[in-house]
Amino acid sequence: MTQEHIGTEPELGTQDLVTPSSSSGPWIVEIGAGAEQAGRLEAGKTLTIGTRPPSEIVVRDPTVSGRHVKVMALRSGVLVEDLDSKNGVFVGGARVRRAMLDSGRGSFMIGRTLITLRDVSEVQPQRHKPIPGLIGSSPCMQRLHDEIRRVAQLDAPVLLLGESGTGKDVIARAIHALSARSGGYVALNAGALGETLADSELFGHRRGAFTGAVQNRPGAFELANRGTLFLDEIAELAPSIQVKLLRTVEDGEVRPLGSTSGVKVKTRIVTATWAPLEQRIERGEFRADLFHRISTFVIEVPPLRQRKSDLAALATSLLLRKQDELGERTLTPEALVRLGAYNFPGNVRELFSIVYRAAASAQRREIRPEDIESALPRTYPTRAEDAALDARRVLEAHRGNVSAAARSARVPRSTFRSWLKRQDRGAGAVELTT
C-alpha cells in the first residue's frame, strides 16, 4: 500500500466542516461497523478509499464509487475530501465536500460503509485483562474500563447514568466483582416497586409489621451487608422511601418495618438511572440531598451509537452464546455494515434482539444484510425519548396491558412503566393490567 506525500495544506472553503483536532497521528483506518482494520495513515501522507484500484483501500459496497474519498493527514489533523463521488461523504449526518475530523475519534460514511479513524495510541493493547461482562475495545469502552477499576476498590456510592439497554446492571456487577468486598451482590429495580413494597424490600420488616408479615425478613441492605446493593431506576423511588434511603446512606443503619431499633450495615450502594435527575430535582420529584449522597462518583455509560466499532464483538458474543440453540452463525461484512447504519435507540439490549431474530430466521450459516433488514423494527421510534413519549398510545393499543405493550416496545416492563410516568398525567387515565 502506497501513501502519497502532502505538500502544502489545502484551504478550507465555506462548504467545509471543521472540528477540533487533538492528535498528530499516526492513525488506524477502520472499515465497516465491525471495525475491520484496513489501513494505517502516517502523518504527512494520504490514502484514497473506493471500490477499485488505484484506491489504496478497497471496500465492497456497491454504493461507493471507484475512487470515492481521499483521507489526508495534515499538521492540523485529518482531512477527508470527496472525490466527486456519486453518493457523497457524510460527517455527522451532513453531506460535506471536505471535513476536518477530530483525529482521535473521527468517523464518516461513504455509501453504506462506516469509516473510522483512531489515533494509534487509542488502540494499543489494554494494560489490564478485560472486565468480565463488558464487551468492546472502542475508546469510550476503554475509558469505561478505567473508571470501573478506579471506583471498584472504594466504598463511596456510585451513580451510573445512561440510556435504557446500555448495560448499567452489567457495570454494577463488574464494580462488585472487582472490589474486595466479602459480602454478596443484590440488585433491585426501584422502578418496579410500589411504596410499601419498596420499604420492605430495601429495609426489611419484622413479624406482624403488616398483614401477611408472618416472620422477620431482612431487606436488601442487610442481604448485601459487606457487599454491594445495586438500585436501578433510582429516580422512580417514592419521596418517603427517598428520605429513608438518604438516612441509611448517611448513617449506615437500616430500620426494618415494625422495628423500634436500627441495624448497622456496611453496604456499598450503586445506583442507576436514565432520567435527568437535575430536572427531577427542579420539579421536586427527587431530593437534592439524596442526589449529592449517591453521586460521589458518576459514571456515564455510552450509548451504542457512540461505539459502533464494538458491534462485531457484541454480535459475535451473542451468536456464541446461542450456538447450541441456533447452530453456528456468522455475520457477513455487509450485514455488519447494515447494522452500523442503524441507530439502536434500545442500545445493546436491542442489538441482541435484532441479531437473535436475524440468526433465527437465516436459512444458512451466514447472516446476510437481508436477514438484518427483516429483523429491524418497523415502527420503533428513532430515539428512546420518542418511545417514552409514545408509551401511552402503545398502552392504549394493547388495552392497558403493560406486559403486552412492553413486549411490543421491546423493553422490560419496569422500563415501560417508567416511560408512562414521564407522560403528562393529565393525558387521561388508563386502567393497567399485567
XYZ file of all heavy atoms in Angstrom, residues 320-388:
551
model
N -22.286 -16.726 19.817
C -21.607 -17.828 20.506
C -22.453 -18.352 21.657
O -22.524 -19.568 21.885
C -20.241 -17.358 21.017
C -19.161 -17.142 19.950
C -17.902 -16.552 20.571
C -18.834 -18.460 19.241
N -23.101 -17.447 22.378
C -23.949 -17.866 23.496
C -25.154 -18.674 23.014
O -25.652 -19.553 23.721
C -24.415 -16.644 24.283
C -23.377 -16.118 25.251
C -23.682 -14.720 25.733
N -25.087 -14.431 25.903
C -25.580 -13.201 26.001
N -24.768 -12.169 25.895
N -26.869 -13.011 26.181
N -25.643 -18.376 21.819
C -26.833 -19.045 21.291
C -26.491 -20.161 20.307
O -27.383 -20.677 19.633
C -27.717 -18.006 20.590
C -28.258 -16.913 21.507
C -29.181 -17.486 22.564
C -29.770 -16.394 23.446
N -30.683 -16.946 24.467
N -25.241 -20.543 20.252
C -24.831 -21.529 19.254
C -25.500 -22.875 19.462
O -25.891 -23.543 18.494
C -23.304 -21.684 19.293
C -22.752 -22.569 18.176
C -21.252 -22.452 18.050
O -20.695 -21.361 18.024
N -20.576 -23.586 18.006
N -25.653 -23.320 20.710
C -26.319 -24.602 20.966
C -27.766 -24.585 20.504
O -28.309 -25.610 20.095
C -26.253 -24.930 22.463
C -24.852 -25.271 22.918
O -24.005 -25.560 22.052
O -24.594 -25.233 24.137
N -28.395 -23.425 20.571
C -29.800 -23.302 20.184
C -29.976 -23.088 18.685
O -30.848 -23.708 18.056
C -30.439 -22.140 20.952
C -31.876 -21.842 20.569
C -32.417 -20.597 21.248
O -31.701 -20.020 22.099
O -33.545 -20.195 20.916
N -29.146 -22.219 18.100
C -29.334 -21.802 16.713
C -28.356 -22.443 15.743
O -28.536 -22.330 14.532
C -29.215 -20.278 16.611
C -30.200 -19.450 17.440
C -29.834 -17.969 17.362
C -31.620 -19.679 16.969
N -27.322 -23.098 16.260
C -26.267 -23.590 15.402
C -25.234 -22.503 15.156
O -25.375 -21.368 15.590
N -24.199 -22.844 14.416
C -23.138 -21.879 14.150
C -23.620 -20.806 13.184
O -24.159 -21.105 12.123
C -21.917 -22.594 13.571
C -20.697 -21.705 13.428
C -19.468 -22.469 12.980
O -19.541 -23.725 12.929
O -18.456 -21.822 12.668
N -23.430 -19.557 13.584
C -23.846 -18.419 12.765
C -22.731 -17.382 12.744
O -22.072 -17.142 13.744
C -25.117 -17.760 13.316
C -26.376 -18.626 13.208
C -26.864 -18.683 11.768
N -28.194 -19.264 11.678
C -28.442 -20.553 11.580
N -27.417 -21.412 11.596
N -29.672 -21.009 11.479
N -22.549 -16.755 11.585
C -21.592 -15.658 11.454
C -22.234 -14.528 10.659
O -23.107 -14.762 9.817
C -20.304 -16.101 10.735
O -20.644 -16.595 9.427
C -19.577 -17.175 11.525
N -21.781 -13.313 10.933
C -22.271 -12.136 10.219
C -21.343 -11.808 9.056
O -20.124 -11.766 9.224
C -22.335 -10.934 11.160
C -23.484 -10.906 12.171
C -23.138 -9.977 13.316
C -24.772 -10.447 11.504
N -21.900 -11.595 7.882
C -21.082 -11.159 6.752
C -20.691 -9.691 6.960
O -21.363 -8.961 7.708
C -21.851 -11.287 5.433
O -22.960 -10.380 5.454
C -22.342 -12.714 5.230
N -19.616 -9.233 6.322
C -19.261 -7.807 6.426
C -20.395 -6.890 6.005
O -20.605 -5.833 6.604
C -18.052 -7.685 5.496
C -17.455 -9.057 5.469
C -18.616 -9.999 5.557
N -21.140 -7.294 4.978
C -22.251 -6.468 4.521
C -23.349 -6.383 5.581
O -24.001 -5.346 5.734
C -22.824 -7.030 3.221
C -21.879 -6.944 2.023
C -20.836 -8.075 2.016
O -20.951 -9.000 2.847
O -19.922 -7.994 1.183
N -23.565 -7.484 6.308
C -24.558 -7.466 7.395
C -24.116 -6.536 8.514
O -24.940 -5.825 9.109
C -24.768 -8.881 7.927
N -22.813 -6.520 8.799
C -22.299 -5.598 9.808
C -22.476 -4.149 9.368
O -22.782 -3.270 10.182
C -20.820 -5.886 10.084
C -20.525 -7.077 10.994
C -19.034 -7.374 11.012
C -21.027 -6.808 12.412
N -22.285 -3.892 8.073
C -22.494 -2.539 7.555
C -23.953 -2.134 7.755
O -24.243 -1.001 8.165
C -22.113 -2.465 6.070
C -22.594 -1.156 5.448
C -20.602 -2.585 5.912
N -24.878 -3.063 7.497
C -26.305 -2.745 7.687
C -26.606 -2.478 9.153
O -27.371 -1.557 9.483
C -27.177 -3.912 7.168
C -28.677 -3.615 7.269
C -29.042 -2.437 6.410
N -30.408 -1.969 6.634
C -30.736 -1.007 7.484
N -29.795 -0.404 8.189
N -31.992 -0.626 7.614
N -26.010 -3.261 10.036
C -26.180 -2.995 11.466
C -25.647 -1.615 11.824
O -26.262 -0.869 12.599
C -25.454 -4.055 12.297
C -26.170 -5.368 12.592
C -25.242 -6.294 13.360
C -27.460 -5.135 13.374
N -24.490 -1.268 11.257
C -23.869 0.006 11.572
C -24.671 1.202 11.121
O -24.503 2.304 11.644
N -25.547 1.013 10.138
C -26.361 2.122 9.648
C -27.570 2.391 10.535
O -28.236 3.415 10.381
C -26.843 1.822 8.227
N -27.845 1.481 11.483
C -28.994 1.632 12.382
C -28.543 2.347 13.653
O -27.402 2.212 14.086
C -29.571 0.256 12.704
C -30.817 0.276 13.547
C -31.975 0.894 13.088
C -30.847 -0.328 14.804
C -33.132 0.905 13.860
C -31.992 -0.330 15.576
C -33.130 0.287 15.100
O -34.268 0.304 15.867
N -29.440 3.100 14.280
C -29.049 3.964 15.397
C -29.247 3.339 16.774
O -28.802 3.893 17.776
C -29.821 5.282 15.343
C -28.976 6.437 15.812
O -27.751 6.426 15.669
N -29.605 7.438 16.389
N -29.948 2.220 16.887
C -30.113 1.459 18.129
C -30.627 2.303 19.290
O -29.928 2.521 20.281
C -28.799 0.777 18.535
C -28.334 -0.261 17.565
C -27.343 0.023 16.646
C -28.920 -1.516 17.546
C -26.929 -0.919 15.733
C -28.521 -2.468 16.635
C -27.521 -2.172 15.729
N -31.872 2.776 19.222
C -32.437 3.502 20.371
C -32.521 2.630 21.619
O -32.500 3.150 22.733
C -33.823 3.920 19.874
C -34.128 2.986 18.749
C -32.817 2.691 18.102
N -32.609 1.303 21.437
C -32.641 0.398 22.573
C -31.277 -0.116 22.983
O -31.173 -0.993 23.855
N -30.219 0.391 22.318
C -28.827 0.106 22.681
C -28.491 -1.382 22.611
O -28.979 -2.071 21.733
C -28.527 0.714 24.046
C -28.549 2.229 23.987
O -27.692 2.840 23.353
N -29.558 2.840 24.604
N -27.634 -1.866 23.527
C -27.130 -3.240 23.422
C -28.270 -4.251 23.534
O -28.282 -5.273 22.848
C -26.064 -3.498 24.507
C -25.595 -4.950 24.450
C -24.874 -2.558 24.319
N -29.245 -3.957 24.377
C -30.378 -4.872 24.517
C -31.098 -5.044 23.187
O -31.475 -6.159 22.794
C -31.348 -4.351 25.582
C -32.505 -5.316 25.874
C -33.485 -4.719 26.865
N -32.889 -4.560 28.181
C -32.827 -3.407 28.840
N -33.304 -2.309 28.289
N -32.300 -3.351 30.035
N -31.271 -3.943 22.457
C -31.939 -4.035 21.161
C -31.054 -4.723 20.130
O -31.548 -5.505 19.303
C -32.323 -2.646 20.668
C -33.133 -2.687 19.380
C -33.500 -1.317 18.854
O -32.863 -0.325 19.257
O -34.417 -1.242 18.025
N -29.751 -4.464 20.170
C -28.831 -5.154 19.258
C -28.954 -6.660 19.412
O -29.044 -7.396 18.419
C -27.395 -4.717 19.534
C -26.302 -5.576 18.858
C -26.356 -5.414 17.346
C -24.924 -5.213 19.391
N -28.963 -7.142 20.650
C -29.067 -8.580 20.884
C -30.377 -9.128 20.322
O -30.403 -10.216 19.736
C -28.962 -8.871 22.377
C -27.542 -8.842 22.895
C -26.494 -8.420 22.087
C -27.248 -9.223 24.196
C -25.192 -8.384 22.549
C -25.930 -9.199 24.673
C -24.911 -8.774 23.840
N -31.475 -8.381 20.491
C -32.761 -8.846 19.964
C -32.733 -8.917 18.439
O -33.225 -9.892 17.845
C -33.885 -7.906 20.419
O -34.042 -7.936 21.812
N -32.153 -7.918 17.801
C -32.100 -7.890 16.336
C -31.247 -9.032 15.804
O -31.638 -9.746 14.870
C -31.558 -6.526 15.853
C -32.585 -5.425 16.137
C -31.216 -6.568 14.363
C -32.055 -4.029 15.900
N -30.054 -9.212 16.383
C -29.157 -10.271 15.917
C -29.776 -11.647 16.173
O -29.664 -12.555 15.332
C -27.775 -10.145 16.595
C -26.895 -11.335 16.246
C -27.090 -8.853 16.163
N -30.431 -11.806 17.305
C -31.083 -13.087 17.608
C -32.158 -13.401 16.567
O -32.235 -14.520 16.051
C -31.680 -13.038 19.009
C -32.307 -14.337 19.467
C -31.560 -15.312 20.098
C -33.663 -14.583 19.245
C -32.135 -16.499 20.515
C -34.248 -15.759 19.652
C -33.481 -16.717 20.286
O -34.063 -17.890 20.688
N -33.001 -12.408 16.249
C -34.054 -12.636 15.258
C -33.458 -12.938 13.891
O -33.945 -13.814 13.165
C -34.979 -11.411 15.173
C -35.874 -11.225 16.357
C -37.012 -10.246 16.050
N -36.522 -8.917 15.732
C -36.271 -7.976 16.627
N -36.436 -8.234 17.915
N -35.864 -6.775 16.260
N -32.406 -12.200 13.525
C -31.782 -12.432 12.224
C -31.175 -13.823 12.147
O -31.296 -14.510 11.126
C -30.707 -11.376 11.974
N -30.509 -14.259 13.230
C -29.895 -15.582 13.247
C -30.947 -16.681 13.204
O -30.762 -17.716 12.554
C -29.021 -15.731 14.492
N -32.061 -16.468 13.894
C -33.116 -17.479 13.937
C -33.818 -17.630 12.593
O -34.259 -18.724 12.230
C -34.130 -17.126 15.021
N -33.906 -16.527 11.841
C -34.615 -16.586 10.564
C -33.708 -16.922 9.385
O -34.199 -17.285 8.310
C -35.314 -15.242 10.298
O -34.365 -14.196 10.210
N -32.391 -16.795 9.566
C -31.457 -17.076 8.473
C -31.540 -18.549 8.065
O -31.582 -19.440 8.926
C -30.039 -16.715 8.879
N -31.540 -18.819 6.787
C -31.646 -20.186 6.279
C -30.280 -20.795 5.984
O -30.199 -21.844 5.360
C -32.491 -20.181 4.993
C -33.894 -19.648 5.186
C -34.689 -20.466 6.188
O -34.727 -21.699 6.116
N -35.315 -19.794 7.142
N -29.251 -20.116 6.446
C -27.897 -20.587 6.168
C -26.999 -20.193 7.330
O -27.444 -19.514 8.257
C -27.395 -19.959 4.860
C -27.210 -18.460 4.973
C -27.213 -17.738 3.661
N -28.571 -17.602 3.153
C -29.425 -16.688 3.582
N -29.074 -15.868 4.560
N -30.609 -16.595 3.076
N -25.762 -20.614 7.260
C -24.819 -20.280 8.332
C -24.535 -18.795 8.388
O -24.417 -18.215 9.467
C -23.506 -21.058 8.118
C -22.409 -20.703 9.100
C -21.143 -21.483 8.810
N -20.011 -21.001 9.569
C -18.785 -21.494 9.505
N -18.542 -22.515 8.682
N -17.814 -20.988 10.230
N -24.420 -18.159 7.217
C -24.099 -16.741 7.175
C -25.346 -15.890 7.353
O -26.382 -16.158 6.746
C -23.431 -16.382 5.850
C -22.009 -16.875 5.716
C -21.358 -16.323 4.460
O -22.099 -15.971 3.511
O -20.116 -16.233 4.422
N -25.244 -14.869 8.181
C -26.306 -13.874 8.340
C -26.005 -12.737 7.379
O -24.968 -12.089 7.462
C -26.377 -13.361 9.789
C -26.636 -14.526 10.752
C -27.457 -12.302 9.940
C -26.563 -14.135 12.207
N -26.922 -12.501 6.449
C -26.697 -11.537 5.384
C -27.485 -10.246 5.625
O -28.329 -10.193 6.530
C -27.096 -12.165 4.046
C -26.253 -13.407 3.700
C -26.707 -14.050 2.414
N -25.906 -15.226 2.107
C -26.142 -16.054 1.093
N -27.159 -15.802 0.270
N -25.367 -17.103 0.883
N -27.233 -9.205 4.827
C -27.921 -7.929 5.043
C -29.441 -8.059 5.041
O -30.119 -7.391 5.816
C -27.430 -7.064 3.884
C -26.113 -7.633 3.515
C -26.220 -9.105 3.746
N -29.974 -8.907 4.171
C -31.430 -9.049 4.113
C -31.991 -9.666 5.404
O -33.136 -9.392 5.787
C -31.859 -9.875 2.900
C -31.229 -11.271 2.822
C -29.956 -11.298 1.991
O -29.264 -10.246 1.942
O -29.659 -12.352 1.410
N -31.190 -10.516 6.069
C -31.628 -11.070 7.350
C -31.689 -9.977 8.418
O -32.625 -9.943 9.230
C -30.671 -12.180 7.809
C -30.577 -13.318 6.802
O -31.633 -13.733 6.286
O -29.449 -13.783 6.534
N -30.680 -9.107 8.421
C -30.687 -7.979 9.356
C -31.857 -7.056 9.054
O -32.570 -6.604 9.961
C -29.364 -7.194 9.279
C -28.184 -8.085 9.687
C -29.426 -5.948 10.143
C -28.225 -8.553 11.124
N -32.077 -6.784 7.772
C -33.164 -5.885 7.373
C -34.510 -6.391 7.875
O -35.332 -5.612 8.395
C -33.180 -5.748 5.851
C -34.122 -4.681 5.336
C -33.659 -3.283 5.691
O -32.440 -3.019 5.657
O -34.532 -2.465 6.028
N -34.744 -7.688 7.726
C -36.028 -8.247 8.166
C -36.159 -8.260 9.677
O -37.280 -8.283 10.201
C -36.187 -9.672 7.619
O -35.203 -10.534 8.181
N -35.030 -8.238 10.391
C -35.063 -8.278 11.856
C -35.175 -6.895 12.476
O -35.467 -6.778 13.668
C -33.809 -8.974 12.392
N -34.941 -5.835 11.692
C -35.017 -4.483 12.241
C -36.464 -4.109 12.524
O -37.380 -4.519 11.794
C -34.414 -3.477 11.260
C -32.900 -3.542 11.074
C -32.475 -2.617 9.941
C -32.176 -3.174 12.356
N -36.713 -3.337 13.582
C -38.091 -2.923 13.890
C -38.640 -2.014 12.817
O -37.903 -1.254 12.182
C -37.945 -2.198 15.236
C -36.527 -1.748 15.281
C -35.744 -2.798 14.544
N -39.935 -2.093 12.620
C -40.569 -1.303 11.568
C -41.169 0.003 12.094
O -41.217 0.996 11.390
C -41.687 -2.137 10.918
C -41.143 -3.347 10.176
C -40.432 -2.916 8.905
N -39.846 -4.061 8.227
C -38.551 -4.293 8.152
N -37.701 -3.458 8.705
N -38.069 -5.352 7.527
N -41.659 -0.001 13.329
C -42.373 1.170 13.841
C -41.751 1.724 15.099
O -42.299 2.611 15.720
C -43.840 0.810 14.145
O -43.884 -0.248 15.130
C -44.550 0.353 12.889
N -40.599 1.205 15.488
C -39.986 1.665 16.727
C -39.444 3.082 16.533
O -38.831 3.377 15.516
C -38.831 0.729 17.113
C -38.374 0.878 18.543
C -39.081 0.270 19.567
C -37.234 1.605 18.857
C -38.661 0.379 20.873
C -36.811 1.729 20.168
C -37.526 1.108 21.167
O -37.104 1.228 22.460
N -39.663 3.990 17.497
C -39.171 5.363 17.358
C -37.659 5.412 17.217
O -36.947 4.513 17.648
C -39.636 6.040 18.658
C -40.801 5.213 19.124
C -40.473 3.811 18.696
N -37.155 6.492 16.650
C -35.727 6.594 16.390
C -34.921 6.894 17.634
O -33.722 6.707 17.645
C -35.461 7.711 15.369
O -36.006 8.946 15.868
C -36.103 7.389 14.042
N -35.543 7.377 18.724
C -34.806 7.660 19.941
C -35.607 7.154 21.118
O -36.838 7.070 21.087
C -34.569 9.170 20.106
C -33.760 9.779 18.989
C -33.516 11.251 19.250
N -32.749 11.432 20.480
C -32.638 12.616 21.098
N -33.219 13.671 20.618
N -31.919 12.700 22.205
N -34.904 6.823 22.220
C -35.574 6.310 23.408
C -36.572 7.330 23.951
O -37.646 6.975 24.438
C -34.541 5.952 24.472
N -36.254 8.640 23.867
C -37.164 9.658 24.361
C -38.474 9.643 23.579
O -39.553 9.842 24.137
C -36.510 11.037 24.261
C -35.336 11.237 25.206
C -34.023 10.757 24.606
O -34.071 10.038 23.576
O -32.967 11.074 25.167
N -38.377 9.398 22.265
C -39.581 9.322 21.451
C -40.437 8.137 21.871
O -41.663 8.210 21.874
C -39.213 9.191 19.977
C -38.462 10.415 19.474
O -38.665 11.499 20.043
O -37.678 10.271 18.528
N -39.780 7.030 22.217
C -40.529 5.868 22.672
C -41.271 6.176 23.959
O -42.419 5.765 24.152
C -39.566 4.695 22.884
N -40.621 6.927 24.873
C -41.274 7.292 26.119
C -42.501 8.159 25.857
O -43.557 7.982 26.465
C -40.287 8.018 27.030
